[in-house]
Amino acid sequence: MDLENKVKKMGLGHEQGFGAPCLKCKEKCEGFELHFWRKICRNCKCGQEEHDVLLSNEEDRKVGKLFEDTKYTTLIAKLKSDGIPMYKRNVMILTNPVAAKKNVSINTVTYEWAPPVQNQALYMQMLPKEKQPVAGSEGAQYRKKQLAKQLPAHDQDPSKCHELSPREVKEMEQFVKKYKSEALGVGDVKLPCEMDAQGPKQMNIPGGDRSTPAAVGAMEDKSAEHKRTQYSCYCCKLSMKEGDPAIYAERAGYDKLWHPACFVCSTCHELLVDMIYFWKNEKLYCGRHYCDSEKPRCAGCDELIFSNEYTQAENQNWHLKHFCCFDCDSILAGEIYVMVNDKPVCKPCYVKNHAVVCQGCHNAIDPEVQRVTYNNFSWHASTECFLCSCCSKCLIGQKFMPVEGMVFCSVECKKRMS
């Protein structure tokens, strides 16, 4: 069940919310309430990833659907009840004996995800501590947030999108099928020496024509030297320490490897969640930024745009019906609007909710009206408002002395008010 239908089933109206307050702005969010097409909270305007509302099984279903009809079907299992693919997320539990005065207790640490390999504990230690997905920790919250940001459900499932036409649904299905076959991959954790043991077929060994006896001889002569060679991370270019696990990406070729902490999206530079990557033009991408490189994304609803007609404004793309006021959702085509925190706001909402207040008349300043601003204080640029706080002399075009929201025409006037 998607989040919007969950809201409807629970009988929550537009004035009610559910779930935890926003992790980003707790002081002004009473609870998460889904905007029906923006995919943000109506109360605080933050995204779903900032609220603890998505359950683990919902995320596992999303990733399971991503891996469906790919070579990674071993990472999913279909439920007998509804046949929906579920991500078989590998959970790691470490137990360490802790010495006590009378007996030995067991300290258990659970990682909400870990690569399914033997050296997974060493892999985790190579990640920044604040990004290690230990259950109940900051790292677990980081992983959950990145799952929501990097792999939005509406980038792969037409049913999660808002009012797609049949033609758009078909085009999206073809797009998803294409990126699954050409770009999607999951990192593989191995020791570089293990890759050497697989032979030169998967390793990029430079120099000469390998088919000639001379080239074969050169390879044999340099075998000992090759083993001593330090491997370099494809991202940071620094050497890999002997015995440390590295991440390989099959689509990139096995001549490239990454430190675990360097396996990041080339656009947002965040760790690729659960090592799920997209490969394009010799670069790693998360799902979101790979899709952004292929299709325009609507700044209003966050969905990819498959329609032939859309709007471009403020260096962003918008569905025609989604270029709306961020506060009241009124259509802005042909209307005056003001950008507030990179979001368009209609003039009435700007005056009501965002406009600065004139220090002279204490009224909101219209966005189309000239104003004088000094530090965090503003005045209408008029003979009625921008006046000396002592003698009321007009200060437009004149020198003035500011003091905590007041302005003076002279030292004398300043002294009189002190």
Side-chain angles (χ1 to χ4, degrees):
M1 182 186 300
D2 61 56
L3 203 54
E4 183 176 347
N5 288 332
K6 184 189 291 184
V7 176
K8 293 177 181 176
K9 188 172 182 179
M10 292 177 71
L12 297 174
H14 284 177
E15 299 305 318
Q16 292 178 283
F18 72 95
C22 179
L23 301 174
K24 194 174 181 180
C25 51
K26 295 179 181 179
E27 71 281 355
K28 67 175 183 178
C29 184
E30 298 176 358
F32 182 80
E33 181 198 339
L34 181 68
H35 186 287
F36 72 103
W37 59 262
R38 287 192 187 274
K39 302 172 187 64
I40 60 173
C41 176
R42 284 184 179 273
N43 294 320
C44 66
K45 307 290 189 180
C46 292
Q48 294 182 40
E49 67 274 7
E50 301 294 349
H51 297 75
D52 196 14
V53 294
L54 293 178
L55 303 177
S56 293
N57 63 344
E58 292 174 336
E59 293 290 3
D60 289 344
R61 289 189 182 205
K62 177 182 70 175
V63 179
K65 185 168 182 61
L66 178 66
F67 289 149
E68 191 177 27
D69 301 323
T70 71
K71 64 181 295 182
Y72 301 105
T73 51
T74 54
L75 297 175
I76 63 176
K78 292 196 174 182
L79 300 178
K80 293 182 180 180
S81 57
D82 52 17
I84 295 176
M86 289 285 285
Y87 177 34
K88 293 192 297 185
R89 177 165 43 93
N90 189 62
V91 176
M92 179 175 71
I93 300 176
L94 296 179
T95 55
N96 298 311
V98 179
K101 290 183 178 180
K102 295 184 178 180
N103 49 25
V104 176
S105 61
I106 301 298
N107 181 30
T108 301
V109 179
T110 301
Y111 290 84
E112 294 190 351
W113 172 86
V117 293
Q118 289 184 344
N119 51 3
Q120 55 189 196
L122 180 56
Y123 166 90
M124 284 299 175
Q125 292 173 11
M126 296 179 69
L127 298 180
K129 188 171 182 62
E130 69 275 9
K131 295 182 180 180
Q132 296 175 13
V134 176
S137 71
E138 177 187 0
Q141 194 64 43
Y142 171 80
R143 175 185 172 272
K144 193 171 184 180
K145 184 175 179 178
Q146 293 307 315
L147 271 172
K149 292 184 71 173
Q150 295 184 20
L151 302 171
H154 49 270
D155 277 9
Q156 59 162 309
D157 187 351
S159 69
K160 304 295 184 182
C161 299
H162 183 67
E163 296 182 351
L164 291 182
S165 68
R167 183 197 64 78
E168 290 170 330
V169 169
K170 185 176 181 180
E171 186 176 341
M172 182 176 183
E173 289 173 343
Q174 293 172 343
F175 172 72
V176 172
K177 184 177 180 180
K178 184 173 183 289
Y179 74 55
K180 283 186 176 184
S181 66
E182 297 180 2
L184 174 64
V186 179
D188 193 9
V189 178
K190 291 184 179 294
L191 296 175
C193 58
E194 293 176 348
M195 299 307 298
D196 268 348
Q198 295 181 17
K201 290 184 180 180
Q202 289 184 323
M203 300 300 293
N204 181 20
I205 303 176
D209 182 356
R210 298 179 188 176
S211 63
T212 64
V216 174
M219 288 172 60
E220 291 175 351
D221 293 341
K222 293 184 178 181
S223 59
E225 180 183 347
H226 183 70
K227 290 179 181 179
R228 293 194 299 269
T229 301
Q230 289 281 359
Y231 296 89
S232 297
C233 172
Y234 186 72
C235 176
C236 71
K237 311 304 181 187
L238 297 178
S239 297
M240 309 286 293
K241 292 182 180 178
E242 186 175 354
D244 280 355
I247 301 179
Y248 290 83
E250 182 181 11
R251 292 193 184 276
Y254 283 90
D255 59 326
K256 301 177 181 66
L257 68 168
W258 287 260
H259 291 111
C262 292
F263 200 61
V264 299
C265 171
S266 60
T267 298
C268 64
H269 307 293
E270 297 289 354
L271 283 179
L272 291 165
V273 64
D274 294 9
M275 300 193 303
I276 300 170
Y277 70 88
F278 291 73
W279 182 254
K280 177 183 176 182
N281 295 336
E282 301 298 303
K283 291 182 179 181
L284 291 170
Y285 292 92
C286 66
R288 169 178 291 276
H289 291 112
Y290 170 81
C291 291
D292 285 351
S293 74
E294 293 285 315
K295 296 286 183 181
R297 185 182 297 276
C298 177
C301 68
D302 196 48
E303 294 174 16
L304 300 174
I305 299 176
F306 293 95
S307 57
N308 294 326
E309 295 182 349
Y310 60 95
T311 295
Q312 289 184 316
E314 305 296 334
N315 297 317
Q316 298 182 90
N317 303 301
W318 313 76
H319 287 112
L320 295 178
K321 60 186 177 183
H322 289 166
F323 187 53
C324 304
C325 172
F326 193 63
D327 286 3
C328 70
D329 290 340
S330 61
I331 300 293
L332 293 175
E335 301 294 331
I336 296 171
Y337 65 90
V338 181
M339 296 299 290
V340 178
N341 297 325
D342 295 326
K343 304 294 183 183
V345 176
C346 69
K347 184 177 174 180
C349 283
Y350 176 82
V351 172
K352 178 182 177 182
N353 303 324
H354 307 283
V356 295
V357 175
C358 174
Q359 291 294 114
C361 67
H362 303 293
N363 293 322
I365 300 178
D366 189 290
E368 294 183 276
V369 171
Q370 286 189 326
R371 67 184 180 189
V372 177
T373 300
Y374 189 86
N375 288 339
N376 294 322
F377 302 105
S378 298
W379 295 261
H380 286 104
S382 68
T383 56
E384 292 81 19
C385 293
F386 193 50
L387 309 174
C388 174
S389 300
C390 178
C391 68
S392 299
K393 175 184 175 181
C394 178
L395 297 177
I396 294 177
Q398 305 295 319
K399 292 182 179 180
F400 62 92
M401 302 177 65
V403 179
E404 298 179 356
M406 297 187 291
V407 285
F408 301 100
C409 64
S410 64
V411 175
E412 290 74 16
C413 281
K414 178 185 175 184
K415 288 181 178 180
R416 289 177 193 171
M417 295 293 289
S418 60

